[in-house]
Amino acid sequence: MKTILSFVILFFLALGLNADNGHQLWLRSKSSVPVQVICKKSSETLAIAKQELQQAWQGEAGQTVRLELIRDKQIAGDGFRLSAEGIQATTESGILYGVYELLRRQQTGKKIGEELVNPTWEHRLLNHWDNLDGTVERGYAGLSIFWRAGNDSLAVTEEDLKLWEEYARANASIGINGSVLNNVNASPKILSAAYLSRVKAIADVLRPYGIKAYLSINFASSMVIGGLSTADPLNAEVVDWWKAKAKEIYTLIPDFGGFLVKANSEGQPGPQDFGRNHVDGANLLADALKPHGGLVMWRAFVYNPSDEDRAKQAYNEFMPFDGQFRDNVIIQVKNGPIDFQPREPFSPLFGAMKQTSVMAELQVTQEYLGHSVHLVFLAPMWEEFLHSETWQEGEGSTVARTTDGSLFEQKHTAIAGVANIGLDDNWCGHDFAQANWYAFGRQAWDSSLSSEQIADEWLKLTFNQPAPEEMDAETVLPMEWDLNFLKPVKQMMLNSHEAAVDYMMPLGLHHIFAAHHHYGPGPWWAPKGMRKDWTPPYYHQADTEGIGFDRTASGSDAVSQYHEPLKAHFSNPETCPEALLLWFHHLPWDYQMKNGRTLWDELCYRYDHGVQQVRQFQKIWDQAERYVDPEIFGRVQHKLREQSLNAVEWKDACLLYFQQFSQRAIPYDLERPLNNLDDLIEKDERTIRAYE
Ligand code: GCV
């Protein structure tokens, strides 16, 4: 009996040991061979660099690698020179990034020649929308890794330190060098002494990995925690309060990064509450941070309930201030003019503000793309955005170039991504959502990387391509791994964003989500008295004539915020990219598409195509089973099933709802709806009630 029990325990232990909970991200340890690392200087960062090399070296056994700090004007910021012999950089972070690049190349079988590698943006940040009670706004991977509820919420534990270090290492390995630790809907409490001491503890862990800590601040802090009667940015006491607060922070954290600010947006306080404007507000904070080298990232995510098209409001509000901000202010602009929709055109502020530093804000967490249930690889969406042609300075004025300092003089350059990280074992909720964290870092480091390259790297690092010596005739051959795993799974990732756009809101439709949670479909949702610009009918404008938001000169004229020839292209349905057609045009149901179909039929085909794509992903994944850890395989398989069911709901909900207006049949060669519209609406109402 005893023997059987021991056997059972051993069996489960073995199972446990094999189980991959995804916590190691793309940094799964590999057996290393000996390497001799030579570095004349010593520091915490350099020690990490050395250790990483020794732990994961896959090159020639016994090789010597030199890490050298040099002077070299061609190396920008934390860039580095890479060669098979070692890494040269002007900063310690540069050495660390070089080490990670060297190891990445070894592990992904890429060649290592002599190369100068410079980052595209100086500051590459994750924005955490983490609340001080430990919840995460739009977070789908558990509670915050930084904040906790309860009485001892500020005590720093050994587990905290370990987790923050793992987080820092993962970020450094992909070039991220800044973390905003709290939600942009910021509690003023974050600037109290008690919270600042925890911020210091976090910053101390991040520092050796080259990562600066930043905080989101509440514009009314001088009133709420400072006891002043105003937060007016031109009031002398307020000015002094912020100066003193900055000094207090820098005494604790000498390399503190700066403030991120959501002001006069969605109910947050701001300078307009005191009759002032964005320039007054941003410059107040910039002046307080300037002596310490800090930055202000002032968000342009502003819109109010008015007759003006929401898509036009940020541009209208910020353009008049171009050239008036201090040089340590960067205006942080979401990629699209509305709000992280599955597809948007780029915000017209990119390239238009020529005398102001502007940075892009991307959303890594999948608020509008299936949370941590849907497999959606976001790199293709960001690639499309970063490479969008703005025409602001003629051909080649891509969005990336309007923010990276290569077109306009910018004292500081930056890019931010809203993090998808939480306390879940696998950090991101979905194993494939880790690829989005990875992709954000990689694209922030090098905007010219293709999605294909990033997916390829991530898959090779994450799923441990078997090394030839690890195999025997019975196991997987590398060629077979490439053909049967890498190729199809990579294709699945690359198709996944377009698939989600198709089953959620194709052809430029946007914001037709169910209320509040932004997960399922809700094109019908428009309760009495609700702000129009928070309801889907405002965005799709479906009626018996047709569908889409007219943003041409005959409508809201949002097209006029784009530079020619874009303005002309977007204005004409014949030249407007079909992917954005209903973003810019209200068109009749029988409008003829380029492939000869009517708009209604095309809409049906697109929705159907999205569904079929997810079913294809399920097949691809099931065939990948023998190449993947059973735990990971099971988790992803389960989520793909859910995604498939959700995709059908999206298709049925949208087509059955729009059909009430179009009065046309769903083409008969397409799968018929599986759900009744009434049931879907009822289900939606139940979820809304639970949410409220
Ligand atoms: C942090 C959208 C989201 C909000 C978010 C806001 C913002 O409205 O739904 O959760 O708030 O954007 O970016 O400030």
Side-chain angles (χ1 to χ4, degrees), residues 129 137-138 184-185 262 266 299 301 334 339 367:
W129 285 358
E137 182 156 348
R138 310 305 178 186
V184 286
N185 292 326
K262 172 174 178 178
E266 295 186 333
R299 295 174 91 225
F301 178 64
K334 287 189 181 181
D339 187 13
E367 175 181 354

Side-chain angles (χ1 to χ4, degrees), residues 373-376 503 614 639-647:
V373 178
H374 294 200
L375 189 160
V376 183
Y503 64 71
V614 186
K639 295 213 168 187
L640 278 168
R641 285 179 185 158
E642 184 104 14
Q643 182 174 358
S644 222
L645 290 168
N646 289 168

Side-chain angles (χ1 to χ4, degrees), residues 247-296:
K247 199 165 162 208
E248 181 189 342
I249 296 174
Y250 279 92
T251 309
L252 289 170
I253 309 161
D255 60 345
F256 179 68
F259 296 146
L260 171 64
V261 195
K262 172 174 178 178
N264 292 124
S265 159
E266 295 186 333
Q268 291 301 313
Q272 291 166 0
D273 305 345
F274 307 92
R276 314 294 181 195
N277 60 34
H278 291 292
V279 177
D280 301 324
N283 289 352
L284 160 82
L285 302 171
D287 290 343
L289 294 173
K290 180 87 177 177
H292 313 280
L295 296 177
V296 175

Side-chain angles (χ1 to χ4, degrees), residues 105-173:
R105 288 191 189 201
Q106 287 181 342
Q107 289 180 23
T108 56
K110 266 207 273 169
K111 120 176 161 315
I112 304 165
E114 301 239 334
E115 232 176 286
L116 171 65
V117 185
N118 281 329
T120 304
W121 288 278
E122 179 191 0
H123 302 284
R124 306 168 294 278
L125 293 101
L126 281 181
N127 289 183
H128 289 264
W129 285 358
D130 293 18
N131 298 311
L132 303 189
D133 65 359
T135 56
V136 180
E137 182 156 348
R138 310 305 178 186
Y140 315 105
L143 294 172
S144 167
I145 60 168
F146 298 123
W147 311 107
R148 274 189 265 118
N151 289 339
D152 60 351
S153 61
L154 292 172
V156 175
T157 64
E158 284 302 315
E159 289 92 74
D160 287 337
L161 295 173
K162 180 167 177 281
L163 190 69
W164 297 339
E165 181 163 7
E166 289 168 344
Y167 162 84
R169 176 173 178 242
N171 277 333
S173 76

